[in-house]
Amino acid sequence: MRPSVFIRLLVNGEEHALAVPAQRTLLEALRYDLGLTGSKQGCDKGDCGACTVLARERAGEGRGEAILSCITLAQDAQDLAITTIEGLAGPQGLDPVQRAFADCGALQCGFCQPGMMLSARALLDDNPKPTLPQIQEALSGNLCRCTGYTKIYEAVQVAAGLRAPAQRAPVQSERAAPSDSKAQTVKEIVP
Amino acid sequence: MMTLPDLTVLRPGSVAEAVEALRANPGARVLAGGTDIVPNLKYGMYDTRHLVALRGLSSELRYVREHQSGELRLGAMCSIDELGRSELVKARVPALADACRQIAGPQLRRMGTLGGNLCLDTRCVYVNQSHFWRSALGYCLKKDGTVCHVVAGGKRCVAAASNDTAPVLLALDASVKTISPRGERTIALHEFYVADGLHNTVLAPDELLTEVRIPAAAARRRQAFAKLRMRAAIDFPALNLAVALELDGHSVKSVSLAVSALAARPALIKGLQDLHGHAADAIFAEELGRRAHKQCKPLTNIGIDPGWRRDVLPVLVRRTVLRAIG
Ligand SMILES: Cc1cc2nc3c(=O)[nH]c(=O)nc-3n(C[C@H](O)[C@H](O)[C@H](O)COP(=O)(O)OP(=O)(O)OC[C@H]3O[C@@H](n4cnc5c(N)ncnc54)[C@H](O)[C@@H]3O)c2cc1C
Ligand code: SF4
Ligand code: FES
Ligand code: FES
């Protein structure tokens, strides 16, 4: 058994006292000690942004800035106030960023989303009406292997009130022509 | 998932306490933003059992100040992000602000510090890998092994200095201040780096970098930074360089050119004195590119074709020099 240390973490406004192995990362403490599995363990070495959380000094205000929890030691995070994706929705329901991501369909597998949405939230807290290049810059430390980013940028613009979700015409597919006689007779053989 | 080895984390609240913690725990390593040392610890690259975390030193070592001599003084715990945004840094040393804005990605720039950037461990495709990966290859000189996979028969590790602030600060004649149980010292940056990939600085294991000093003259020099990388964010440099020029009308009074992401030591291009007095023009920019090409030999330590990197270097130098001339 590895030696344990006693630490305090302030996560989503709640103070937690934990005994953890000394080398615990903040991400491991969130996921495996606090059960907050919204923060994802992607590369676990600072490349991908899936583990992004927001952090500020405890004495500070607001939600703070996006940092990577997989390369932050839990012990070294004790002076910080942390916000994870679980803490983003408020009493009014979903955060506008979360709502916009849903409305725009800005996700596919969803693995990058907690980090994406937190980076987006930190951007909008700091700069409520960002330009597209500013959005791209702010999200450049969050990799998405599914979406191609277009709808993600759109969602941040929607959350900022800069545009409405794109109206995409439903795909007009042509009805398949009857290919053979069996297809035509299916109805007749069903009891 | 990559767990860290067993560690004890010490959290001093002042520079004096940090020096004491380093003295009392031989072999301890410093943790600043952790963006370099934590991944490396996960790879099993260090045998250390103690980390001295510097977050508690922020009140002492996080500042951007102009000394009355005109010298710019930057605390080692300044984040890369704040240096990239600082009005004073942008006005006095725009190339440094530019380099900072091109380091890693946004989260890493907020976590990473100036001290950590200058003390960044050297990098190599054969070593920044999991322990399992390295064991499969039989390790290498940098850690646990006896051979180098980059230079066949090489006796010295040539892993690449990959810090983006280093070439700028080298070209601008900056120096660093340090403190250890033996006292303080000031080291000119061109004497700070050594050509040894195992440990590429003259810092002792128990020595702390506290401040970067940039001479007043830097603000008068035309300067530019350039970085080659595959993606516009996150990636380490495949090449980086900085040029600093003093002009006298339209002629070059002095020039320095630093190139890095080659081997363990960021290189200052040598023998440029004969160009002093040359017109600051496209021919001059071309000539600097030619000389850099002659003196710099990219290696396979970075997983991007070294031949291509060498071909690109003179082009990058020429463009950067022209940008500096303006
Ligand atoms: C995905 C990724 C991409 C990156 N891309 C880049 C890039 O493009 N360019 C770049 O330059 N860097 C890059 N980095 C590296 C790193 O983020 C920065 O160099 C950062 O500035 C390092 O600072 P830190 O405070 O996090 O260092 P740490 O990891 O805390 O420390 C790095 C080293 O310096 C030592 N150290 C730290 N502070 C001091 C001090 N005050 N005195 C003495 N020793 C000290 C530590 O012991 C350690 O050996 C990248 C990192 C990652 C994970
Ligand atoms: S340069 Fe050689 S010794 Fe150094 S890390 Fe790479 S393979 Fe290992
Ligand atoms: S999990 Fe990839 S950056 Fe943290
Ligand atoms: S939605 Fe799958 S990684 Fe972004």
Side-chain angles (χ1 to χ4, degrees):
Chain A
M1 188 58 191
R2 288 168 158 179
S4 281
V5 291
F6 181 73
I7 62 167
R8 289 181 174 283
L9 289 178
L10 179 57
V11 183
N12 301 330
E14 230 178 287
E15 184 84 52
H16 299 272
L18 299 168
V20 297
Q23 69 274 27
R24 208 67 156 160
T25 62
L26 174 58
L27 179 63
E28 290 163 348
L30 292 171
R31 290 178 59 87
Y32 308 124
D33 297 309
L34 297 177
L36 297 172
T37 52
S39 306
K40 297 295 177 236
Q41 201 159 13
C43 64
D44 217 11
K45 60 189 180 72
D47 288 342
C48 73
C51 64
T52 300
V53 298
L54 303 186
R56 61 158 165 83
E57 297 295 315
R58 278 179 180 240
E61 274 172 18
R63 275 173 285 230
E65 305 181 310
I67 62 159
L68 302 175
S69 60
C70 70
I71 53 172
T72 301
L73 287 178
Q75 283 200 64
D76 201 30
Q78 298 184 81
D79 298 331
L80 304 175
I82 309 288
T83 300
T84 68
I85 192 69
E86 289 88 350
L88 197 56
Q92 325 291 332
L94 291 183
D95 186 273
V97 168
Q98 293 172 302
R99 165 112 0 255
F101 271 71
D103 289 348
C104 296
L107 67 159
Q108 290 180 25
C109 79
F111 198 82
C112 67
Q113 297 295 307
M116 268 314 165
M117 291 195 267
L118 288 168
S119 283
R121 182 68 267 163
L123 167 70
L124 298 183
D125 283 351
D126 181 51
N127 176 3
K129 302 282 174 213
T131 62
L132 182 59
Q134 285 170 335
I135 294 170
Q136 290 169 330
E137 207 280 327
L139 299 186
S140 63
N142 293 84
L143 298 180
C144 175
R145 62 181 297 179
C146 306
T147 65
Y149 303 98
T150 307
K151 290 187 178 183
I152 291 176
Y153 300 147
E154 178 189 317
V156 181
Q157 291 176 313
V158 169
L162 294 168
R163 61 175 289 180
Q167 295 294 316
R168 291 190 182 79
V171 180
Q172 293 281 336
S173 56
E174 293 195 356
R175 277 196 113 157
S179 57
D180 59 49
S181 56
K182 275 197 182 125
Q184 299 289 306
T185 56
V186 163
K187 231 175 176 175
E188 292 160 30
I189 59 170
V190 170
Chain B
M1 185 167 151
M2 293 191 292
T3 42
L4 283 164
D6 286 349
L7 286 169
T8 299
V9 183
L10 304 161
R11 304 200 303 140
S14 67
V15 172
E17 280 177 32
V19 172
E20 174 52 25
L22 287 167
R23 191 200 58 75
N25 298 283
R29 280 180 184 257
V30 166
L31 170 90
T35 61
D36 177 51
I37 196 171
V38 174
N40 285 346
L41 282 163
K42 289 187 176 191
Y43 294 143
M45 269 170 62
Y46 307 130
D47 298 322
T48 189
R49 287 286 162 267
H50 291 92
L51 287 184
V52 177
L54 302 188
R55 194 186 293 278
L57 278 57
S58 290
S59 56
E60 274 177 88
L61 295 184
R62 200 164 175 178
Y63 54 83
V64 175
R65 274 186 213 138
E66 189 165 10
H67 186 252
Q68 56 200 30
S69 62
E71 192 178 64
L72 194 63
R73 297 184 171 178
L74 310 174
M77 288 299 285
C78 285
S79 77
I80 296 297
D81 183 65
E82 68 200 11
L83 293 176
R85 291 168 193 272
S86 156
E87 292 304 327
L88 195 55
V89 175
K90 279 195 272 185
R92 297 282 308 278
V93 274
L96 180 63
D98 189 21
C100 287
R101 286 192 299 268
Q102 295 191 53
I103 288 174
Q107 296 98 321
L108 291 158
R109 287 195 289 275
R110 286 186 208 105
M111 301 171 72
T113 65
L114 178 62
N117 191 260
L118 285 175
C119 300
L120 187 77
D121 203 351
T122 55
R123 298 182 59 82
C124 174
V125 277
Y126 297 104
V127 83
N128 298 107
Q129 304 286 356
S130 66
H131 184 266
F132 172 76
W133 194 105
R134 287 187 291 119
S135 72
L137 199 67
Y139 305 106
C140 73
L141 287 174
K142 183 147 168 87
K143 181 77 175 89
D144 304 324
T146 53
V147 295
C148 174
H149 307 297
V150 170
V151 179
K155 290 278 165 278
R156 188 173 250 200
C157 170
V158 291
S162 303
N163 15 25
D164 284 311
T165 64
V168 180
L169 293 170
L170 256 178
L172 293 174
D173 299 320
S175 53
V176 295
K177 247 189 78 186
T178 71
I179 188 166
S180 74
R182 295 166 299 287
E184 292 188 317
R185 57 176 179 153
T186 304
I187 310 165
L189 211 60
H190 65 87
E191 288 169 353
F192 183 70
Y193 293 106
V194 293
D196 179 0
L198 295 192
H199 180 67
N200 75 335
T201 73
V202 297
L203 276 190
D206 58 356
E207 195 167 9
L208 211 58
L209 194 161
T210 53
E211 185 178 84
V212 173
R213 296 182 164 186
I214 306 170
R220 292 191 295 274
R221 296 167 80 180
R222 307 284 181 105
Q223 50 191 273
F225 167 83
K227 172 169 177 175
L228 183 72
R229 54 175 167 176
M230 299 310 281
R231 297 176 291 189
I234 305 176
D235 286 346
F236 278 95
L239 273 181
N240 58 12
L241 60 98
V243 62
L245 293 161
E246 224 179 332
L247 295 187
D248 187 1
H250 192 61
S251 77
V252 176
K253 208 165 140 201
S254 73
V255 55
S256 40
L257 173 62
V259 183
S260 195
L262 297 163
R265 184 183 190 175
L268 263 177
I269 302 303
K270 293 191 275 286
L272 301 180
Q273 293 80 354
D274 64 304
L275 293 174
H276 295 173
H278 197 286
D281 57 10
I283 297 170
F284 168 74
E286 192 82 41
E287 179 58 23
L288 279 182
R290 215 180 339 261
R291 294 195 187 187
H293 184 258
K294 208 174 219 169
Q295 292 182 33
C296 301
K297 310 251 169 358
L299 301 166
T300 53
N301 50 6
I302 290 175
I304 298 171
D305 182 9
W308 177 71
R309 285 161 60 222
R310 185 146 192 245
D311 289 347
V312 165
L313 177 61
V315 181
L316 209 58
V317 169
R318 174 163 48 81
R319 290 180 186 166
T320 313
V321 172
L322 288 175
R323 187 149 49 82
I325 292 172

